Amino acid sequence: MKEKLTRNISLKILAVILAVLMWLIITNVNDPVQTKIFNDVPVTIKNEELIKTENQSYDILEGETVDFKVAARRSIIQNLTASDFIVEADFAHLSSVNSVNITITPKRYKDDIEIVDRGDVQHMIISIEKLSSKQIKVNIVEKGEVAEGYYIGNKKASPVIIEVSGPESKVEKIKQVIVEANVEGASSKTIYRLLEPYALDEEGNVIDSSRLTFSQNRIEVEIQLYQIKEIPLKITATGRPADGYVMTGIEYQPKTIEIAAEDSKLKTINVLEVTRDITGATEDIEEFIELRDWLDGGVLLVGEDTTASLNIRIEKLETKEVSIWPNDIELKNKSDSLKVEYITALCQVLGYDVFESC
């Protein structure tokens, strides 16, 4: 038996090696190693309470998200997502320059997954700052278009003012706080929403709120919808131009406008009358009139253009002296009982006899 086992031992060893190689080749052909890249994966912060206290907070300067590449067999990698990795920065290991290493650990298949590229960002860098707060008004922004024939009326947020606190540098960037209300296709008289507030900077960009605290996390919003009505616009002139001048015409555009208001008020408005005082005018008047100034409270002008163009023509009077002779005067339908007498004064003008009325 021993002779049989040891007979041709080199051939048998070679056969085993070839079998292993064949198995590895077949395995890699059927289930090859592949790579996969994950971009902008958020970094979870561990032991945040070591930095964030009642008096101080922090802002992330670098390392809020990371990119990395992993390698694994195709059967594993095709099902991997970013949620299969623990990507974190532990503030317990924060260095003296406020930097901490970002670790990437697979939640499963730890022995079968290799992190082959950590990308450019491998550390989280923070700035430790004094905690600051600001009280700011909540603005309501509509998203979408209401149903045809309706217009956004009064808007009300509750609370109107909220307090935002966080790192001083981040709080200082806040220029406004908004809630975004979706009104697409709305036609009901009143819209109610419960919305999350957002902080915006001076350029209208959303400020990351992960380290901001709002005194109210949900804002109650009430939006009124008004019906639209088209009415004529009538612009007239009042007063008199300066002595020796006269108004010869008035033109304006548009001739009709669209308004919106509560039903009870809308029914009573059939025309918008605007007047322009031309007292003492000596030249044409060309200007734009702000129509909103002529609307009653609670009445809104529909559309972006809220002005009317006005052109009033003012011309100077010219005088001309006319001579009338008594013989040029013709009397019609005079009663025979009436006696007519012309009272005139004779004078010489350029050598001609001219009669002038006394």
Side-chain angles (χ1 to χ4, degrees):
M1 177 65 69
K2 183 177 180 181
E3 290 180 357
K4 290 182 179 181
L5 291 174
T6 57
R7 186 182 304 166
N8 299 322
I9 187 65
S10 59
L11 291 176
K12 291 178 180 179
I13 292 172
L14 180 61
V16 170
I17 293 173
L18 289 174
V20 171
L21 289 174
M22 288 296 295
W23 180 82
L24 289 174
I25 291 171
I26 293 172
T27 299
N28 281 297
V29 168
N30 292 332
D31 195 9
V33 173
Q34 295 181 341
T35 61
K36 190 172 186 178
I37 298 174
F38 297 95
N39 293 316
D40 297 323
V41 180
V43 178
T44 302
I45 298 172
K46 188 177 179 181
N47 292 314
E48 182 183 46
E49 67 278 3
L50 297 176
I51 302 299
K52 194 172 183 179
T53 66
E54 293 182 358
N55 300 318
Q56 73 176 23
S57 185
Y58 66 94
D59 192 20
I60 298 177
L61 304 179
E62 183 179 305
E64 195 161 9
T65 63
V66 294
D67 305 331
F68 59 92
K69 181 193 288 188
V70 301
R73 297 195 308 274
R74 182 174 61 185
S75 59
I76 294 175
I77 208 166
Q78 65 185 3
N79 296 317
L80 287 179
T81 65
S83 61
D84 289 312
F85 297 86
I86 300 173
V87 182
E88 66 181 13
D90 190 349
F91 280 3
H93 303 295
L94 192 67
S95 71
S96 59
V97 293
N98 296 330
S99 174
V100 60
N101 186 46
I102 298 173
T103 61
I104 304 172
T105 307
K107 295 180 181 178
R108 53 188 182 138
Y109 308 117
K110 293 183 180 181
D111 296 333
D112 298 310
I113 297 174
E114 181 183 0
I115 311 296
V116 294
D117 188 353
R118 291 285 308 273
D120 296 331
V121 178
Q122 300 184 21
H123 295 82
M124 176 179 285
I125 302 173
I126 68 171
S127 64
I128 300 175
E129 303 177 24
K130 182 175 67 174
L131 196 64
S132 178
S133 64
K134 175 188 290 188
Q135 287 192 332
I136 192 164
K137 180 183 176 183
V138 177
N139 293 317
I140 301 171
V141 177
E142 305 89 36
K143 181 180 180 182
E145 299 290 336
V146 298
E148 186 175 356
Y150 288 88
Y151 194 71
I152 298 292
N154 290 332
K155 300 177 289 185
K156 183 171 65 175
S158 180
V160 177
I161 297 176
I162 63 173
E163 184 176 65
V164 186
S165 58
E168 188 173 37
S169 63
K170 193 174 287 288
V171 171
E172 287 178 350
K173 293 178 182 179
I174 300 174
K175 294 303 177 184
Q176 62 174 321
V177 170
I178 68 164
V179 287
E180 194 174 65
N182 187 354
V183 297
E184 183 66 36
S187 60
S188 58
K189 294 295 183 182
T190 307
I191 302 171
Y192 296 99
R193 297 284 188 270
L194 190 62
L195 303 170
E196 180 182 356
Y198 296 93
L200 303 183
D201 62 18
E202 192 171 11
E203 297 178 354
N205 300 315
V206 177
I207 298 174
D208 177 30
S209 59
S210 59
R211 277 166 301 286
L212 293 177
T213 302
F214 296 90
S215 60
Q216 195 83 12
N217 291 323
R218 290 290 185 271
I219 306 296
E220 295 180 9
V221 171
E222 179 181 331
I223 302 175
Q224 301 292 328
L225 290 190
Y226 297 155
Q227 285 191 306
I228 296 174
K229 182 178 181 179
E230 185 178 43
I231 61 172
L233 172 64
K234 183 180 180 182
I235 302 180
T236 57
T238 61
R240 295 170 62 96
D243 291 341
Y245 291 84
V246 66
M247 184 186 82
T248 60
I250 180 170
E251 297 177 355
Y252 60 88
Q253 287 291 341
K255 294 295 189 293
T256 62
I257 59 172
E258 287 186 329
I259 60 172
E262 293 181 353
D263 291 345
S264 58
K265 181 167 289 188
L266 200 62
K267 292 177 182 178
T268 64
I269 305 174
N270 296 310
V271 62
L272 178 61
E273 295 185 352
V274 176
T275 59
R276 175 58 163 92
D277 188 3
I278 62 171
T279 301
T282 59
E283 58 184 13
D284 290 350
I285 299 173
E286 295 182 1
E287 62 185 23
F288 291 94
I289 295 178
E290 179 54 67
L291 298 178
R292 288 178 299 189
D293 296 339
W294 293 86
L295 292 170
D296 294 337
V299 180
L300 304 176
L301 193 63
V302 177
E304 295 182 359
D305 191 356
T306 62
T307 63
S309 61
L310 174 65
N311 183 7
I312 300 176
R313 293 188 299 278
I314 305 293
E315 295 186 20
K316 187 176 182 179
L317 291 173
E318 295 184 0
T319 59
K320 182 177 181 180
E321 190 176 286
V322 179
S323 299
I324 301 176
W325 294 85
N327 293 336
D328 294 332
I329 300 174
E330 180 183 358
L331 299 177
K332 291 184 177 181
N333 301 318
K334 182 181 76 66
S335 172
D336 293 336
S337 62
L338 295 177
K339 181 181 179 181
V340 177
E341 181 179 354
Y342 297 103
I343 303 173
T344 62
L346 183 62
C347 65
Q348 299 292 323
V349 178
L350 299 177
Y352 294 94
D353 291 338
V354 178
F355 288 93
E356 293 181 345
S357 299
C358 296

